[in-house]
Amino acid sequence: MDNFYTSCEVVERKIDDNIPIVVGANYTRSVVSSCNKAAKNLGIKAGMPIFKVKELCPSILLLPVNFDLYEKMCQKIEKILFEYTKNIQKTSIDEWFLNFSKNDKYLNEIETAEFIKSKIFKNLNLKCSIGIGSNFFNAKTASYYAKPFGVFVIDEKNFKSFVWKIPINEMYMIGDKGL
């Protein structure tokens, strides 16, 4: 999901997503849990200390973490995903791996991904990015490059030309940063 916590807050509270929004505790030593695109455009990112955020943007809208809301939205997303396959691995509150390898019903991966993405947006007003790959590494890497609100494929045709160019310290589950 794209900017999941802040996106949930925007939907729930009917806030203008064009203003900089951060989700996190309002303490000097706390850090950003999530921020929207407007905040990212100011140089704010997840994990940044709140005091730094306030220096960059004193008028930032700082919202408290609301796990009940995020879990409620997560359940609604999962309900949509389970319409397409039961073979799902949840890796966090806002990330799932769907396996279609044993499902002949969906032959075109890109069309299926676009349909899922559109259905989540239409029903919940939440944006997601979808990566398609033959394994977790390729799918996760592809989802990173699909952001925001896109679909990206890493397959045998573009694996070498694309993945081999990624610095090892930026690779999913490999480097110090990972994706």
Side-chain angles (χ1 to χ4, degrees):
M1 299 306 295
D2 296 345
N3 309 320
F4 185 58
Y5 292 0
T6 50
S7 296
C8 291
E9 296 291 349
V10 164
V11 169
E12 182 74 8
R13 297 171 183 248
K14 297 173 180 51
I15 304 169
D16 181 358
D17 196 31
N18 293 314
I19 62 170
I21 303 169
V22 165
V23 171
N26 194 10
Y27 303 113
T28 305
R29 301 185 120 196
S30 63
V31 298
V32 174
S33 294
S34 178
C35 57
N36 67 350
K37 185 177 179 185
K40 288 178 182 178
N41 289 341
L42 297 172
I44 297 167
K45 55 187 174 183
M48 180 179 277
I50 295 296
F51 78 88
K52 283 275 192 201
V53 170
K54 290 179 178 179
E55 287 174 7
L56 285 171
C57 183
S59 64
I60 193 96
L61 177 55
L62 175 59
L63 301 173
V65 177
N66 182 350
F67 285 115
D68 289 339
L69 170 62
Y70 314 142
E71 185 59 36
K72 180 180 83 172
M73 293 302 244
C74 171
Q75 290 170 0
K76 290 179 180 182
I77 294 163
E78 286 177 349
K79 186 175 179 183
I80 292 170
L81 298 178
F82 276 111
E83 292 175 16
Y84 297 93
T85 183
K86 303 294 183 228
N87 195 357
I88 296 175
Q89 182 175 342
K90 183 177 181 178
T91 58
S92 70
I93 194 166
D94 70 337
E95 185 173 82
W96 302 263
F97 287 95
L98 283 64
N99 186 339
F100 288 100
S101 63
K102 297 178 183 175
N103 192 340
D104 295 333
K105 186 175 176 183
Y106 303 104
L107 299 176
N108 187 312
E109 299 158 328
I110 296 172
E111 285 181 12
T112 303
E114 288 287 355
F115 192 74
I116 290 170
K117 184 173 69 102
S118 297
K119 187 162 188 176
I120 290 170
F121 184 70
K122 179 182 174 192
N123 290 2
L124 304 174
N125 204 24
L126 296 174
K127 293 181 179 180
C128 66
S129 299
I130 299 178
I132 299 171
S134 58
N135 55 49
F136 286 155
F137 176 84
N138 288 351
K140 176 64 176 180
T141 303
S143 72
Y144 179 78
Y145 288 95
K147 293 187 181 299
F149 199 46
V151 173
F152 193 83
V153 179
I154 294 179
D155 57 18
E156 63 279 349
K157 295 175 195 161
N158 69 353
F159 180 81
K160 285 183 181 180
S161 65
F162 185 78
V163 175
W164 286 15
K165 293 178 183 175
I166 301 171
I168 196 151
N169 68 321
E170 293 178 13
M171 289 186 173
Y172 174 61
M173 297 294 288
I174 297 174
D176 58 345
K177 289 183 182 179
L179 291 175

